[in-house]
Amino acid sequence: MPTFYGVDVESRLLLGTARYPSPAKLSEAVRQSETEIVTVSLRREAAGGRNGGAFFEMIRGLGVRVLPNTAGCHGVSEAVLTAKMAREVFATNWIKLEVIGNHDTLQPDVFGLVEAARILTGEGFEVFPYTTDDLVVAERLVEAGCKVLMPWCAPIGSAAGPLNPSALRAIRAHFPEVPLIVDAGIGRPSHATAVMEFGFDAVLLNTAVAGAGDPVAMASAFAKAIEAGRQAYEAGMLEPRDMAVPSTPVIGKAVFA
Ligand SMILES: CC(=O)[C@@H](O)[C@H](O)COP(=O)(O)O
């Protein structure tokens, strides 16, 4: 059972709430996924004259824990301000911290991320930083007070799956005690299974479910895939070998005259 900032959860799937075809599909996808944590963008939902209030009310009604996020923030002060708004709207110290550094790749500005993480942890926030798979940046984030890390496996919305498995495995090996959530870039249930087999504690995804032909069925497929990956990790998998190993015993060979 993973623990994030002292909160135990059963489900290892965290779900985004953007881009669903309808609020009804979103609610049903959340239910089918059995997730206990959803992430909500303060900026996206309150921007452009949209009625953020009604959306936030609907999210509160889902009966799951909310992890507000700073998606769409491109600078430290904007991210910090958005985090403070989120704390008021959702009455939580949790914040998924995004400081975007590039419009095309939506990759994190890791320098700004570390700075914003330091400011926010200093103000009592419990920060879930959306970061790259860079080990040194991960170390800096832990030094800045982050007790959970969220490395990407590919750019947001790309559905590309784990692009750099060895970097993800290295982060896992380097931080055995830090809860690690793969965030962004998962496209298929098999991608989620793969990163869970690396030993990650959980997966956060949005586009692969919201953009699926049937988001509700896909939410359920992801829940099963994540559980299977974790079960396999805990069961102890074989390492791949170059040479064959007979899978049937050779004792008592048949003798052909
Ligand atoms: C919803 C959210 O927080 C996204 O910014 C997140 O990073 C998920 O990425 P995908 O949409 O690629 O799953």
Side-chain angles (χ1 to χ4, degrees):
M1 176 188 298
T3 303
F4 306 126
Y5 289 104
V7 174
D8 296 332
V9 288
E10 296 282 342
S11 169
R12 295 177 182 273
L13 169 57
L14 290 76
L15 211 52
T17 56
R19 298 184 188 281
Y20 284 79
S22 69
K25 291 275 184 214
L26 164 60
S27 304
E28 189 53 18
V30 167
R31 209 177 65 76
Q32 284 294 326
S33 72
E34 297 182 11
T35 185
E36 291 157 65
I37 302 173
V38 296
T39 185
V40 179
S41 162
L42 262 280
R43 284 211 55 205
R44 197 181 292 126
E45 298 306 334
R50 292 165 70 182
N51 188 354
F55 184 77
F56 299 153
E57 203 50 51
M58 191 269 283
I59 295 291
R60 286 193 204 95
L62 294 173
V64 293
R65 191 173 282 269
V66 177
L67 171 60
N69 69 60
T70 64
C73 293
H74 286 256
V76 173
S77 51
E78 192 185 9
V80 169
L81 187 64
T82 304
K84 288 180 180 172
M85 278 169 50
R87 177 147 72 178
E88 288 192 13
V89 172
F90 288 107
T92 177
N93 284 332
W94 280 15
I95 190 74
K96 174 165 123 71
L97 181 60
E98 290 190 21
V99 182
I100 299 300
N102 182 277
H103 281 285
D104 294 326
T105 61
L106 297 181
Q107 70 192 89
D109 166 359
V110 293
F111 306 100
L113 181 68
V114 172
E115 193 185 333
R118 192 168 290 120
I119 294 169
L120 289 170
T121 54
E123 297 198 18
F125 281 89
E126 293 173 321
V127 177
F128 295 64
Y130 161 64
T131 184
T132 62
D133 51 21
D134 188 294
L135 193 58
V136 178
V137 173
E139 280 179 335
R140 297 290 177 273
L141 287 166
V142 170
E143 285 162 17
C146 297
K147 295 189 166 39
V148 173
L149 295 173
M150 303 182 88
W152 70 354
C153 79
I156 292 173
S158 68
L163 294 179
N164 194 347
S166 43
L168 289 174
R169 281 198 293 261
I171 290 185
R172 177 68 288 175
H174 197 73
F175 298 102
E177 305 300 336
V178 177
L180 298 179
I181 304 169
V182 168
D183 174 15
I186 296 275
R188 297 165 179 228
S190 57
H191 297 156
T193 305
V195 297
M196 293 305 294
E197 286 175 357
F198 298 161
F200 278 79
D201 295 282
V203 169
L204 188 153
L205 56 94
N206 188 154
T207 308
V209 167
D214 182 345
V216 177
M218 190 60 83
S220 167
F222 267 106
K224 292 176 190 136
I226 288 166
E227 219 29 68
R230 180 67 194 185
Q231 202 176 354
Y233 172 72
E234 287 176 1
M237 288 166 293
L238 300 185
E239 287 305 317
R241 310 165 200 234
D242 291 326
M243 298 300 165
V245 179
S247 52
T248 43
V250 287
I251 311 159
K253 274 184 191 169
V255 178
F256 299 100

